[in-house]
Amino acid sequence: TEGLWRTSIARAESILKNLSVEDKVSLLRGQNDVWPADRHGYAGFVGIGHKFTDAWEAKGVMPLTMNDGPQGYNSYGRFAGESTQYPALLNVASSFSPAVARNYATAIAEEFQAKGSNVLLGPDVEVTRSTLTGRSFETLSGEDPYLGATLVAPFVKAVQDHGIIACVKHFLDNNQEIFRQSLNVEVEDR
């Protein structure tokens, strides 16, 4: 793996040499502006240009087309009425089965591929500390961190096997949905 890292670092350094300051800055944030610099129907779009195949490809960089999808592809208007909403991840957790997690993730990854998204913002592995959180239905861990650790590996592997980047989320202190943008969660070192 050391050789693979060296190759990847060399490729990244080569690409960075050919990027303008504007290009580099645009990689620091997704696009949430109005058309033509909008999200292109994704939860986030990192890259410049007005098309999915844009100036980045000529520079050797693939744009990131991120989408929420712990329970399936969230259309954000682009594929309204054409996306599958799968059962909540808590149902997968209740199976206690790595095979179920893998099969579930495979189905979601196939839909992401078909819709042109290359980053899955999920799975959610927050350990449910209170069932009143408002998001406990979408966790692969339920109330058990060991269960989440057991199920997340086959889930992420299945997603990655389809060329999709899995972005595990809400793994720490996503305790409630109400006032989540302004809530201050203080956790002891223990």
Side-chain angles (χ1 to χ4, degrees), residues 158-186:
V159 170
Q160 291 176 339
D161 285 348
H162 287 80
I164 309 292
I165 299 168
C167 179
V168 179
K169 63 182 186 174
H170 304 315
F171 55 91
L172 185 63
D173 305 326
N174 189 32
N175 297 317
Q176 69 182 52
E177 194 63 10
I178 298 173
F179 305 117
R180 75 179 185 153
Q181 301 296 332
S182 60
L183 181 70
N184 181 19
V185 177
E186 295 182 24

Side-chain angles (χ1 to χ4, degrees), residues 1-14:
T1 60
E2 186 177 320
L4 183 59
W5 275 109
R6 262 186 270 145
T7 302
S8 297
I9 289 169
R11 182 170 181 259
E13 288 172 347
S14 172

Side-chain angles (χ1 to χ4, degrees), residues 7-28:
T7 302
S8 297
I9 289 169
R11 182 170 181 259
E13 288 172 347
S14 172
I15 289 170
L16 283 173
K17 287 179 190 174
N18 296 318
L19 296 180
S20 69
V21 173
E22 180 183 288
D23 290 342
K24 292 174 185 175
V25 169
S26 77
L27 290 173
L28 298 176

